[in-house]
Structures are given as structure tokens and as C-alpha cells.
Amino acid sequence: MKIITPNYYKEFSCLAGNCPDTCCKAGWQVIIDDKTLEFYKNADGKIGEKVTFQYSSSTKTLTIKGSGAINQDDIFDAPWDEYREEIKTIVVEEGITVVPDYTFMDLVNVTKVTLPKTLTSIGWYAFCDCESLTKLFIPKSVKNITRGAFNGCTSLKEFTVSQYNDYFKAIDGVLFSKDMKTLKQYPPAKTGSTYTIPSGVVEVYDYAFVDNQYIKTLKMANTVTTFLDCSCQDMQALETIKFSDNVKYLYSNAFAYHYQLKNGVI
């Protein structure tokens, strides 16, 4: 077979966006086989001093591995953005200690999250708008869960917590501080038309009931004194609130956007 090539062929190298010509920019397509396509659909990179990520398109899994904290600056424009609507599973491996603000925000098709025993902190809006997530297990090492961490998780039905965790506990799927003084998060998709905040709870945390779809009547024990910012904002079915005799503080937007609310009993 005789092969004819232009005289510049051996010296040719692609200049990508710096090329002065337009042939590749005029809609040309390069056909590749399925195996090669899968290879290029995978991604990896660095998101901390000792933290990396990998995304597998075949399993739709985003894996975070290494040691220490995920770097906030490295995930502000998340390097897995182009796969945002594909990702179904998040695995944070042992060694990772901090999931910072906004880390997994808007991963709308994620249905499963695995967190490590080394994790100590979950940041603000860390899982915000993970709309398909139905349940979450909090490991024993987690000490801090910042407000709004699970905002917009509209399919979330329950939390479970390691029995060895010294900072949090779950009762009937609802997340509380270990001493039961703070109701941290009521799952938005947890069913039941009436809920009574149990005795011992003093404050309802920021965004604790936000986006709940089922509660029509909210009651509370007399220990409750405080509703923090946006704590009961946009509870979509809420019609009646029966306040305790000791409620003293309703912070900003604690009960905002309840257009269907009929009764507030003090």
C-alpha cells in the first residue's frame, strides 16, 4: 500500500485553541470506539493537599480518597461539574476528615452516599439539592453538621447514626444532638401528618424542617424555647402550629412561606 502524506506531517502537533486555522472548529467530528469513549468519560484530579477524586462513568460513582480535608477552593467550581447529572453514587473513603461547604451541591441524581469513619465535619450546603438521596448514615466520628447541609434533599426519608457517635443521634429517622437539646434535621420526605417535638428539645436548628412535604400539624413539648433561622421555612403542608408555653425566640424567617397556614396556637 502506498501512503502519501503532506511534507509537514512528521512535525505536526495539535495546537488546540491556539491553532490559526478553522478546519477543526467548523464542525468536524472524530469517531472513536466505545471503549475509548468510556476512558475519556472518566475523570480524576486533586481536591486537597492529600485528597483526590475519581469519577467512573460505567458505575456512575464519584469517589473521594486520600487523607485530611477536601479543599474548599478546589471544589467551589466542582471539577466533576460536567458529570453532575450522571452521578448516582458518592463514596468518601476512609482518611477524609472534612466535607466542606457546597461540596456535593446539586448532584440531583445521587441515590447513595457512603461516608467514612474518619469524617468529623459536614459543611454548609454540603449535600444541598441532592434531590434523589433517600437516606443517610452518620458515622461515629462526625462532630459537626453545619446548617443547611441537607437543604433541598426532597427525597430524604431518614437519618441513621452510629451508636458510638458522641454528638448526634437519630430517633425515628429524625436527627438530634446527642443530648437531645437540639433538633438538627427532620427529613423532608418523612411521612406523617402530625409531629410533636419531643421533651428535652430546647432549640430547633436552622433549616431543620425546611421543605417538609407532609406535616400538617406541628406540636412541641414545653421544653422548646427557640426556633433558629429558617427552622420551619416552607413546610409545604403545614396548617397548624401549637407552640409551647415557653417559646421565647423566633429567629429570622423561622416560619416563612406558609401560605396554607390556618392556625398558630400559643
Side-chain angles (χ1 to χ4, degrees):
M1 178 184 295
K2 182 181 289 187
I3 300 175
I4 300 174
T5 61
N7 56 11
Y8 56 82
Y9 177 75
K10 291 183 179 180
E11 289 78 29
F12 173 79
S13 63
C14 179
L15 300 177
N18 294 320
C19 182
D21 298 316
T22 60
C23 49
C24 291
K25 302 174 185 176
W28 287 21
Q29 293 182 345
V30 178
I31 299 173
I32 60 176
D33 60 89
D34 291 341
K35 184 176 181 180
T36 304
L37 175 63
E38 288 302 312
F39 174 81
Y40 282 108
K41 284 180 68 178
N42 295 331
D44 57 31
K46 194 173 182 181
I47 49 172
E49 186 177 347
K50 297 180 180 180
V51 182
T52 60
F53 79 92
Q54 291 181 339
Y55 173 66
S56 168
S57 64
S58 60
T59 62
K60 312 298 183 188
T61 299
L62 175 64
T63 303
I64 311 296
K65 56 178 63 180
S67 61
I70 297 171
N71 188 340
Q72 175 71 56
D73 292 337
D74 288 333
I75 55 87
F76 190 75
D77 292 319
W80 47 80
D81 263 358
E82 62 181 295
Y83 310 105
R84 186 173 294 280
E85 295 186 3
E86 294 182 15
I87 300 170
K88 292 187 177 181
T89 301
I90 297 169
V91 177
V92 183
E93 293 191 350
E94 298 298 327
I96 303 301
T97 57
V98 177
V99 174
D101 304 347
Y102 307 106
T103 302
F104 301 117
M105 185 175 180
D106 289 333
L107 299 185
V108 295
N109 290 312
V110 166
T111 59
K112 182 179 180 182
V113 173
T114 301
L115 300 176
K117 296 175 184 178
T118 52
L119 188 67
T120 60
S121 182
I122 299 173
W124 193 29
Y125 291 162
F127 292 93
C128 181
D129 293 332
C130 289
E131 298 174 357
S132 302
L133 185 64
T134 58
K135 59 184 178 179
L136 188 70
F137 175 73
I138 308 296
K140 66 177 183 179
S141 53
V142 174
K143 301 177 181 180
N144 178 59
I145 299 175
T146 308
R147 69 181 200 153
F150 308 106
N151 276 21
C153 294
T154 51
S155 298
L156 189 61
K157 296 181 179 180
E158 67 168 336
F159 291 94
T160 53
V161 180
S162 167
Q163 62 178 321
Y164 303 108
N165 189 297
D166 292 330
Y167 299 89
F168 301 102
K169 67 189 300 182
I171 298 178
D172 295 329
V174 182
L175 186 64
F176 297 88
S177 60
K178 189 75 169 185
D179 60 9
M180 287 294 294
K181 290 184 178 180
T182 301
L183 192 158
K184 295 286 289 185
Q185 186 80 51
Y186 189 99
K190 179 176 169 61
T191 57
S193 61
T194 299
Y195 182 70
T196 301
I197 299 172
S199 180
V201 173
V202 175
E203 68 174 14
V204 179
Y205 197 57
D206 307 68
Y207 301 102
F209 284 94
V210 72
D211 294 327
N212 179 266
Q213 304 161 41
Y214 296 100
I215 296 175
K216 293 184 177 180
T217 301
L218 182 64
K219 304 176 182 180
M220 62 202 71
N222 278 330
T223 55
V224 177
T225 65
T226 304
F227 287 83
L228 296 177
D229 290 346
C230 307
S231 51
C232 298
Q233 178 178 296
D234 200 18
M235 294 175 68
Q236 298 168 24
L238 188 65
E239 297 177 353
T240 301
I241 307 166
K242 296 184 179 180
F243 288 99
S244 83
D245 295 336
N246 296 315
V247 170
K248 299 177 182 179
Y249 308 104
L250 299 180
Y251 282 68
S252 176
N253 292 319
F255 287 90
Y257 311 119
H258 291 110
Y259 305 113
Q260 73 289 341
L261 187 63
K262 297 177 181 178
N263 300 295
V265 182
I266 300 176

